Amino acid sequence: MTDSKPMTAFTTDFQHSGMPAKDLDETIKFYTEKLGFELAGLFHNGENRCAFLRYGHLTIETWEGDPAPMETGAINHWAFDTPDIEAAFANAKKLGLRFKDTEIQSIPSFWDNGIRFFNVYGPNNETIEFCQIV
């Protein structure tokens, strides 16, 4: 761990929080029409859809295809903007972080050119995502 750095050295900001939706259309309607969020993006990920809802600096990623816990504490993950995903991944290995993903993942259908990301677990088994928008 001698040449490792805190992971914030590889991120620029908080990117989004993620939560599965019981009904994606209902979730989009609630956040946009009732709370005033903007629908920043709606993308396909295989058979399912994923929406990004934005209000100011807060972005919520919500998707269909995974069961929604339907209880308090239902946030699935926190994500950080990560400009150099390879360097961040290498550093996370040096730090001995507990990985959810054994390699960098990608979803080419998100945003203009896709995303690359990896997830680690925090001490409370929370998922922390490091995400590069390509």
Side-chain angles (χ1 to χ4, degrees):
M1 208 168 85
T2 55
D3 58 345
S4 62
K5 300 176 183 176
M7 290 304 291
T8 52
F10 298 89
T11 63
T12 57
D13 210 339
F14 180 75
Q15 187 182 93
H16 67 265
S17 65
M19 131 188 117
K22 171 183 63 146
D23 177 320
L24 187 62
D25 294 318
E26 176 186 45
T27 301
I28 292 169
K29 186 175 180 179
F30 174 82
Y31 277 90
T32 59
E33 294 179 13
K34 305 285 188 192
L35 297 186
F37 279 59
E38 155 199 7
L39 178 60
L42 182 60
F43 307 102
H44 285 277
N45 184 13
E47 298 291 314
N48 298 309
R49 297 172 302 150
C50 178
F52 288 84
L53 303 161
R54 187 170 294 142
Y55 172 69
H57 190 67
L58 173 63
T59 301
I60 298 170
E61 174 191 21
T62 185
W63 63 92
E64 57 196 4
D66 288 331
M70 302 303 292
E71 62 184 53
T72 301
I75 299 296
N76 175 274
H77 66 273
W78 306 108
F80 294 93
D81 275 320
T82 310
D84 186 344
I85 200 71
E86 286 89 2
F89 190 72
N91 190 73
K93 283 183 176 180
K94 289 178 191 172
L95 286 171
L97 297 182
R98 191 165 49 106
F99 285 86
K100 182 175 183 177
D101 304 310
T102 57
E103 58 188 38
I104 295 170
Q105 308 293 305
S106 69
I107 302 175
S109 58
F110 283 18
W111 304 110
D112 290 335
N113 299 304
I115 62 169
R116 299 181 70 218
F117 66 97
F118 67 91
N119 295 292
V120 300
Y121 292 111
N124 304 295
N125 220 31
E126 68 274 24
T127 300
I128 303 162
E129 175 182 329
F130 294 91
C131 183
Q132 179 179 24
I133 296 175
V134 182

